[in-house]
Amino acid sequence: MKCKPNQTRTYDPEGFKKRAACLCFRSEQEDEVLLVSSSRYPDRWIVPGGGMEPEEEPDGAAVREVYEEAGVRGKLGRLLGIFEQNQDRKHRTYV
């Protein structure tokens, strides 16, 4: 676990930063998805997501991140997958 001002980063035993994200659909038909602008890359649209807090489960982190980034609450569905990024930063994201 690493601490930064206003942020705590958590890592799994393999050294991956633990993240959670959520694909937010407007309806059960899943034909419209919510995207938010990226703070790191303002010209890009992304799905809401971010780092998991200590003792936080992926589903709770996904719900929290969506609310923090988009102000949206909804019904949590299924786990779509666990995605890893290994190039410049080691992230493991539950979507």
Side-chain angles (χ1 to χ4, degrees):
M1 178 171 34
K2 289 185 181 177
C3 293
K4 290 178 72 177
N6 301 323
Q7 183 180 17
T8 301
R9 294 181 176 171
T10 57
Y11 296 83
D12 66 15
E14 296 176 74
F16 284 85
K17 181 180 176 189
K18 294 168 60 174
R19 299 185 76 252
C22 195
L23 282 174
C24 303
F25 296 106
R26 183 177 208 138
S27 68
E28 296 291 325
Q29 287 75 36
E30 298 183 358
D31 54 357
E32 291 181 85
V33 65
L34 172 70
L35 299 175
V36 295
S37 59
S38 169
S39 59
R40 181 171 286 143
Y41 305 102
D43 59 333
R44 295 185 189 174
W45 293 95
I46 60 172
V47 296
M52 292 172 54
E53 295 178 358
E55 310 299 323
E56 191 173 36
E57 294 296 324
D59 55 349
V63 169
R64 176 183 52 75
E65 286 291 340
V66 168
Y67 186 71
E68 287 177 1
E69 295 186 9
V72 174
R73 293 196 191 273
K75 178 178 69 172
L76 193 61
R78 64 193 179 277
L79 175 67
L80 297 178
I82 302 168
F83 302 88
E84 294 179 359
Q85 177 183 5
N86 292 314
Q87 291 92 13
D88 53 342
R89 291 173 280 185
K90 288 177 69 170
H91 290 163
R92 185 169 281 147
T93 305
Y94 295 79
V95 179

